[in-house]
Each structure stands twice: as structure tokens, then as C-alpha cells.
Amino acid sequence: GEDVEQSLFLSVREGDSSVINCTYTDSSSTYLYWYKQEPGAGLQLLTYIFSNMDMKQDQRLTVLLNKKDKHLSLRIADTQTGDSAIYFCAEGAINTNAGKSTFGDGTTLTVKP
Amino acid sequence: EAGVAQSPRYKIIEKRQSVAFWCNPISGHATLYWYQQILGQGPKLLIQFQNNGVVDDSQLPKDRFSAERLKGVDSTLKIQPAKLEDSAVYLCASSLDDQGTEAFFGQGTRLTVV
């Protein structure tokens, strides 16, 4: 079945770049998502990328997709303390949508001042 | 625009008791999802509704969990009887339809079963 894996923790200093990595197994994945979850809050969609794209940039966020290796990464430039949260990678197959995605277990990003 | 509303925010019950959670999706959103998020894990889909019909409930433990969306708007998720392993955050999400690329999540209900 589908499986999405992420490293559990990442710690960076304020102002540095953060790179959060994710691997997935379902080769039919059409959409790949990054969500942010702050303490006591629901999930907030940050960005998504279609499987026919290699890269997507949105302000401080850069998503890189290596479809051959089934590897997805999220780079946050100039990381701020407000970026501290849990980041979830998720994948969705064709004919499904974001609500029916398979999620990884999340990477806890800690930004130190 | 109001977001997805869930209540209660927190609930503590004893095992074998019953509990119900309520969700009000974003106005006009046809698709509604319930997720279970166990501490330290990502959300796992329990059930998906399209309007008032069930699209996918393959991961719902039907011996104890039930959900309904009678009028195609609000939804309730019930657990009866609860087990210790049901302790989790129950997240409701909605999307405009079943072909969209974004689902909007509520803040969740944190259930503790003691």
C-alpha cells in the first residue's frame, strides 16, 4: 500500500534555510503536498506540486520533486521562529483530492533564535 | 470566510463510554472528511462524505465507530464503546468537491480515553 516517510526532527537557527525531506512509495501519486501544523491547530496546506513538475517556488518555500527516486523536499529560506511547527508530507493518487491523501508522520521543525 | 468548526475541543471519557464529535464544514463544501491523528503520527482517513453520501469508509472501525451527514452539511462522528487506543485528535476537513486540490482542516477534538 501507500507509504510516506519523513525524518522526525529538524533543528535550525533563525535565518538559516531548512530542508525537510520525504519519500513515498506510490508511483501513481499525482499530487504531493506539504502541510504545516502548529500546536493545538489543524493542518494548513502550505503548497503542493503536480507529479509532472520538478520544482515549485512560492515566496520562501521551494518544493523539489525527484519522481524517479520518489523523493520530495521542502526548503524554507530565511527560517523564522514562527516557522516552528510540524510539517507533513502527503501524497494523493490520480482521481483523488487533497482530503484523501496519505500522510507521513510529520517532521518537527524547531527554530532557535 | 469562516473555517471548519469542530466541537468540543477536548473530551475525556472512561473506556467503554460513548462519545460524539461534531463538525460544521465551510459553507458550500460538498466533501467532508474525518481523520484520526494519534500522537506522533500523521492523520489517517476514517471516512469521506460527498454531500450526504459515504464515498469511502474502508478505514472506519465499523464495530465501534459511526458517522453521519444527514443533510449534507454538518456531520457527527460517534464512538461506542470507546477503547484506550481511541485516544487521539479527531480532525474534520472539507473541500469544495471531490476533484479539488485543497482540503481545509478544523482544529480538531482531542479525545482522551482513561
Side-chain angles (χ1 to χ4, degrees):
Chain A
E2 303 110 0
D3 194 19
V4 178
E5 294 192 357
Q6 306 176 233
S7 53
L8 292 180
F9 302 101
L10 176 65
S11 180
V12 301
R13 292 222 171 266
E14 191 173 19
D16 288 349
S17 291
S18 307
V19 180
I20 303 171
N21 294 301
C22 169
T23 58
Y24 59 98
T25 58
D26 190 349
S27 58
S28 67
S29 296
T30 305
Y31 304 104
L32 294 138
Y33 305 90
W34 284 105
Y35 285 85
K36 177 183 181 182
Q37 187 176 38
E38 296 181 84
L43 278 73
Q44 174 196 355
L45 179 65
L46 288 177
T47 186
Y48 64 89
I49 189 169
F50 293 111
S51 59
N52 62 357
M53 297 170 64
D54 298 324
M55 186 182 83
K56 181 178 180 180
Q57 188 153 3
D58 184 1
Q59 299 182 332
R60 292 192 296 123
L61 305 179
T62 302
V63 178
L64 294 177
L65 174 61
N66 181 329
K67 194 174 180 181
K68 174 176 171 290
D69 295 337
K70 300 188 183 70
H71 181 268
L72 183 73
S73 68
L74 174 69
R75 178 176 181 269
I76 306 173
D78 187 25
T79 314
Q80 303 298 305
T81 54
D83 295 325
S84 293
I86 304 175
Y87 290 80
F88 291 92
C89 170
E91 62 84 26
I94 194 168
N95 292 330
T96 66
N97 63 19
K100 204 174 177 180
S101 303
T102 299
F103 288 80
D105 286 340
T107 299
T108 299
L109 173 64
T110 302
V111 183
K112 298 178 181 178
Chain B
E1 178 182 88
V4 176
Q6 291 188 246
S7 67
R9 288 295 312 277
Y10 306 93
K11 190 75 177 177
I12 301 174
I13 63 172
E14 295 183 347
K15 59 184 179 183
R16 291 187 289 273
Q17 284 187 323
S18 302
V19 65
F21 313 126
W22 173 82
C23 172
N24 179 232
I26 292 173
S27 177
H29 279 195
T31 310
L32 184 147
Y33 315 83
W34 282 103
Y35 277 88
Q36 180 192 59
Q37 186 179 17
I38 293 171
L39 184 65
Q41 298 182 16
K44 302 285 192 297
L45 181 68
L46 291 175
I47 188 167
Q48 176 187 351
F49 290 95
Q50 181 70 13
N51 297 308
N52 61 351
V54 175
V55 173
D56 183 356
D57 64 355
S58 58
Q59 300 302 310
L60 188 73
K62 298 182 188 62
D63 57 334
R64 297 184 301 106
F65 286 64
S66 65
E68 59 184 16
R69 194 185 184 200
L70 292 175
K71 296 183 180 178
V73 180
D74 294 2
S75 177
T76 55
L77 175 70
K78 296 179 182 177
I79 308 175
Q80 179 180 10
K83 293 185 176 181
L84 296 177
E85 58 261 36
D86 298 331
S87 294
V89 175
Y90 291 84
L91 293 165
C92 179
S94 70
S95 60
L96 195 58
D97 56 34
D98 63 351
Q99 297 300 314
T101 54
E102 183 166 6
F104 297 83
F105 284 80
Q107 290 184 297
T109 296
R110 182 177 295 278
L111 173 68
T112 303
V113 183
V114 298

